[in-house]
Amino acid sequence: MQHAVIMNSVIENLYSLLAKELKTLDKIVEKNQNPVLFIELIRCIDSSFLFSYEGKEKYEPFIQLGYGRCLEAFYKTNTFQEDYLLLSPSISEIQNWCFNLLLGYGRCQMILNSLDLVKSGDMYIRENGPGDFHLIVKKESGIEYIENQFVDSYFHLIHDNVFDEENKRLEEKEEYILKQLNKEVEVWREHYIKYGSTPEIDDFYFDKARVYLCSSQLFDDFAEEDCFGQIPYGNFMLVLQAIMGVTLKHIAACELLCTKNHDVSIYNILTLPVIHNDFIEEYVYYLNIKRERLEEIFDVLTVDASNISEHIKASKEFSPLFIKVGNRFTLRSVRGCLRTPIFYLQNELKRRYPKDYFKWINKREDRFRKQLYDLFCCSRFTMVNRSVELNVRGIRTDIDAVIFDKWTKTLGLFQLKWQDKFASDFKARRSRISNMVIKANEWVEKITDWTSGTTPKEILSSLGIEGNGINETYIFVIGRYNTVFSNSVRDERAAWGSWYQVIEIVKRMYKVDSLLKVLYKQLKTDRKFEEKPEDLKIEFENFFVSYSCEW
């Protein structure tokens, strides 16, 4: 009890110091109410994302964490509402000012996130002396990282296998397209860029964007026909693909201009303001989507003073595609368009269309089951194309998916959980642990009781499967993104894993004799977490916070 009181006191001390730091940063922003700094801020964000620089691996997490808070501070204090916007080339002093401002907000945000982990039991904290705080990462913390690694494996699989022929076609054509684009590119007003395009160039980058979208974004949370307002989700994806294509084309154009004119800095031309109405008109022409619908889609993809705070509260990775400046102008962010635009899109869909959002979420189980069955697409497997409800001997539950291997007489019973992505959203993470894990453990208990007290023939009959023999039964809890959380107790009678782990294991082990058995064992084996984060020290004027691991 005394330890808890001391720890709470230490947390409150650190919260107080961080509040003072954030207040100082907010005052710096308040004193610099120049709309040009909006442009400079996004220039800094985009260049730090796209280009290498000394210390990038160290600074990039802070830049990303600081972005949302910094932009929110600008919106709170900047009253710019003019119909014009002064454009000027950047200078190193302003670049450094923006970088350090983002860094300052990011360092504060990282520590605030760490205090959330202290509260959830993933870290310890102590104060060694006045202003000397020490955060210690528990050994099992970060185990979620294992499941996240399989998302990267999935993206590589999509890029290298699914799009193998398309990648070859695009690579063969790219040199020709760059030559055509180079003819269109020229200097504008000494420091900037202008260029035209052709249908052939546009189509090339639209196709390239499809590969990029499918091999970098987890966008399949909704079906193409699911409507938000009156807009099908497929329209949002089509526009997102077009935006990515335009962004990839713009990066190529900027690199071409800087190659043939060394007086132009790519820092000045990568991020430029556009007039909102003119910008939308280009997409109306290319995509053949009604202007009213496109305007609504672009509003969804744009951050401004009215919605930024909600996105900051969501704690998901903050990378808006478009940033509103004044009455007429919008900044297109290269980082926002290419890094994780799907996070921003889905968070805004949830905010704007809550009824539609949760309606479609509640209908995702059927799609998840079908996708799982598609992995076991072979005559040896019998699958039940519905959720199976059980109500026997006081056991009431349901089984989301059932796979029976007729060759080995192996039965797989699955609970499927398709949650929202939570990224660094610690409230969502705690909710996931308290709701999903506890309920899944209860489900494992009920299924174990049912299978242990029921004959194989009765089990198969209850599932609607012909046969009278089962050699082995395996229980699985599969989450779309995460099921394994540090500091949570899972029922080890089941194999727990993410959908992307399942894909990787099944694709790799498909020809084994007993695929369900191997999947079960591999999901348990893949949980070892040996990666140790590097020690870190974050210093402020009047205090510092150091990080270390307990192993």
Side-chain angles (χ1 to χ4, degrees):
M1 183 69 178
Q2 185 179 5
H3 173 73
V5 171
I6 293 172
M7 188 174 74
N8 286 336
S9 176
V10 172
I11 291 172
E12 289 306 315
N13 288 345
L14 188 48
Y15 269 135
S16 177
L17 290 167
L18 288 170
K20 291 177 182 176
E21 285 294 321
L22 288 168
K23 189 175 181 179
T24 299
L25 292 169
D26 288 344
K27 285 183 176 179
I28 291 172
V29 173
E30 190 176 356
K31 290 178 180 177
N32 291 275
Q33 291 196 34
N34 188 332
V36 173
L37 292 176
F38 265 97
I39 302 174
E40 289 293 340
L41 181 67
I42 310 307
R43 279 174 172 171
C44 183
I45 280 289
D46 286 350
S47 63
S48 69
F49 163 70
L50 203 58
F51 305 121
S52 298
Y53 59 91
E54 188 176 351
K56 179 170 181 172
E57 190 173 331
K58 173 183 176 182
Y59 295 125
E60 184 65 15
F62 295 119
I63 297 299
Q64 176 59 38
L65 287 169
Y67 180 22
R69 273 190 173 269
C70 188
L71 190 59
E72 183 184 33
F74 269 97
Y75 273 124
K76 282 181 178 178
T77 60
N78 201 301
T79 57
F80 178 73
Q81 294 296 329
E82 302 298 330
D83 291 333
Y84 62 89
L85 187 63
L86 181 66
L87 192 63
S88 60
S90 183
I91 57 175
S92 60
E93 289 82 2
I94 294 179
Q95 294 171 21
N96 292 334
W97 184 86
C98 287
F99 186 86
N100 288 321
L101 190 66
L102 288 163
L103 204 60
Y105 277 109
R107 296 192 308 165
C108 291
Q109 190 60 49
M110 178 173 281
I111 298 169
L112 288 171
N113 289 352
S114 300
L115 291 178
D116 278 330
L117 288 172
V118 171
K119 291 177 180 179
S120 67
D122 292 289
M123 299 179 79
Y124 307 111
I125 187 171
R126 64 170 180 250
E127 189 172 9
N128 299 323
D132 177 1
F133 297 91
H134 189 192
L135 286 159
I136 304 142
V137 183
K138 287 186 176 181
K139 186 171 184 178
E140 288 299 313
S141 294
I143 198 167
E144 294 92 334
Y145 170 74
I146 297 166
E147 291 179 315
N148 294 338
Q149 280 183 311
F150 286 92
V151 174
D152 293 333
S153 298
Y154 168 76
F155 285 148
H156 285 300
L157 178 72
I158 295 295
H159 185 275
D160 297 339
N161 292 13
V162 177
F163 286 103
D164 181 42
E165 292 302 317
E166 179 69 351
N167 283 324
K168 290 177 182 176
R169 184 185 72 82
L170 291 170
E171 286 172 12
E172 289 172 0
K173 197 172 183 181
E174 187 163 29
E175 184 178 350
Y176 165 77
I177 291 294
L178 288 173
K179 287 181 180 178
Q180 299 306 306
L181 182 58
N182 196 38
K183 296 175 184 177
E184 304 285 339
V185 174
E186 57 185 293
V187 177
W188 180 67
R189 293 190 178 180
E190 187 179 354
H191 302 288
Y192 308 111
I193 185 173
K194 72 173 182 177
Y195 56 93
S197 190
T198 65
E200 188 177 29
I201 293 171
D202 290 340
D203 289 346
F204 173 84
Y205 284 103
F206 187 72
D207 292 343
K208 191 170 185 177
R210 181 168 175 265
V211 178
Y212 189 96
L213 173 65
C214 293
S215 58
S216 70
Q217 307 295 314
L218 300 174
F219 60 85
D220 62 346
D221 292 67
F222 304 99
E224 286 192 6
E225 63 272 15
D226 293 349
C227 285
F228 295 85
Q230 300 297 316
I231 305 175
Y233 185 67
N235 275 186
F236 285 101
M237 289 298 98
L238 189 64
V239 172
L240 185 56
Q241 181 182 336
I243 290 168
M244 285 182 159
V246 169
T247 306
L248 293 171
K249 179 177 69 175
H250 180 66
I251 293 170
C254 290
E255 290 173 342
L256 288 169
L257 180 61
C258 291
T259 298
K260 62 184 181 181
N261 191 320
H262 300 297
D263 292 331
V264 175
S265 168
I266 198 166
Y267 195 94
N268 290 326
I269 61 176
L270 192 64
T271 308
L272 290 172
V274 293
I275 297 174
H276 188 71
N277 291 336
D278 295 348
F279 186 60
I280 290 177
E281 194 62 40
E282 295 176 14
Y283 287 87
V284 171
Y285 175 76
Y286 186 76
L287 296 174
N288 195 27
I289 296 176
K290 290 182 179 179
R291 183 180 180 87
E292 298 76 26
R293 180 167 288 186
L294 267 176
E295 285 178 348
E296 187 172 346
I297 291 173
F298 274 93
D299 281 345
V300 168
L301 298 174
T302 302
V303 72
D304 58 25
S306 69
N307 65 0
I308 187 168
S309 294
E310 291 300 317
H311 284 278
I312 303 302
K313 287 177 187 176
S315 297
K316 293 183 179 179
E317 183 168 310
F318 180 78
S319 286
L321 292 79
F322 303 101
I323 300 94
K324 188 74 181 293
V325 185
N327 290 332
R328 299 174 62 213
F329 292 96
T330 300
L331 292 170
R332 180 186 61 215
S333 168
V334 170
R335 185 193 197 104
C337 293
L338 297 182
R339 185 178 167 99
T340 51
I342 206 69
F343 272 103
Y344 187 87
L345 168 63
Q346 293 185 356
N347 198 51
E348 186 65 7
L349 291 177
K350 184 177 182 179
R351 190 187 76 86
R352 287 193 182 221
Y353 314 98
K355 289 183 179 179
D356 293 331
Y357 187 90
F358 290 107
K359 178 176 72 174
W360 301 126
I361 274 183
N362 292 332
K363 295 186 177 182
R364 294 192 294 199
E365 184 185 298
D366 289 344
R367 281 201 296 127
F368 200 172
R369 178 168 45 246
K370 183 181 183 304
Q371 290 170 347
L372 174 66
Y373 289 169
D374 286 345
L375 287 180
F376 291 81
C377 186
C378 178
S379 59
R380 67 184 283 185
F381 297 108
T382 296
M383 290 158 280
V384 180
N385 293 315
R386 58 181 171 81
S387 175
V388 177
E389 294 185 3
L390 294 179
N391 188 4
V392 291
R393 303 193 312 273
I395 300 171
R396 293 196 63 173
T397 189
D398 59 1
I399 304 169
D400 295 329
V402 177
I403 300 175
F404 182 62
D405 187 339
K406 291 178 287 188
W407 293 5
T408 61
K409 293 188 176 182
T410 304
L411 179 65
L413 304 174
F414 293 79
Q415 184 173 69
L416 305 176
K417 296 290 185 182
W418 194 329
Q419 327 93 320
D420 281 357
K421 311 172 190 73
F422 68 88
S424 59
D425 186 343
F426 296 101
K427 289 180 182 178
R429 181 185 178 279
R430 285 197 291 271
S431 174
R432 225 38 77 72
I433 294 171
S434 61
N435 293 323
M436 195 206 84
V437 177
I438 291 172
K439 290 179 180 178
N441 281 337
E442 292 173 355
W443 179 82
V444 174
E445 177 71 26
K446 290 177 180 179
I447 295 299
T448 302
D449 288 348
W450 174 62
T451 54
S452 62
T454 310
T455 67
K457 186 174 182 178
E458 289 173 329
I459 290 172
L460 292 174
S461 177
S462 298
L463 299 173
I465 297 174
E466 293 183 2
N468 55 15
I470 300 173
N471 290 334
E472 295 173 302
T473 299
Y474 295 106
I475 302 171
F476 299 88
V477 178
I478 306 300
R480 193 68 178 188
Y481 303 112
N482 293 89
T483 57
V484 179
F485 298 91
S486 47
N487 273 322
S488 66
V489 179
R490 300 169 297 278
D491 192 320
E492 292 299 329
R493 290 173 292 184
W496 301 63
S498 78
W499 169 235
Y500 299 99
Q501 277 179 285
V502 173
I503 292 174
E504 196 276 336
I505 293 168
V506 171
K507 291 293 185 184
R508 176 164 45 92
M509 300 288 188
Y510 192 75
K511 294 183 179 180
V512 298
D513 290 337
S514 182
L515 185 55
L516 288 168
K517 181 178 181 178
V518 169
L519 176 62
Y520 182 86
K521 290 186 174 181
Q522 284 287 306
L523 285 173
K524 286 179 169 290
T525 303
D526 285 340
R527 275 192 220 160
K528 293 179 181 178
F529 181 67
E530 303 293 343
E531 185 163 315
K532 178 180 178 180
E534 292 184 9
D535 291 349
L536 175 68
K537 188 175 184 179
I538 302 176
E539 296 186 69
F540 299 88
E541 186 176 349
N542 298 314
F543 67 100
F544 64 89
V545 178
S546 56
Y547 288 77
S548 64
C549 302
E550 69 173 1
W551 76 96

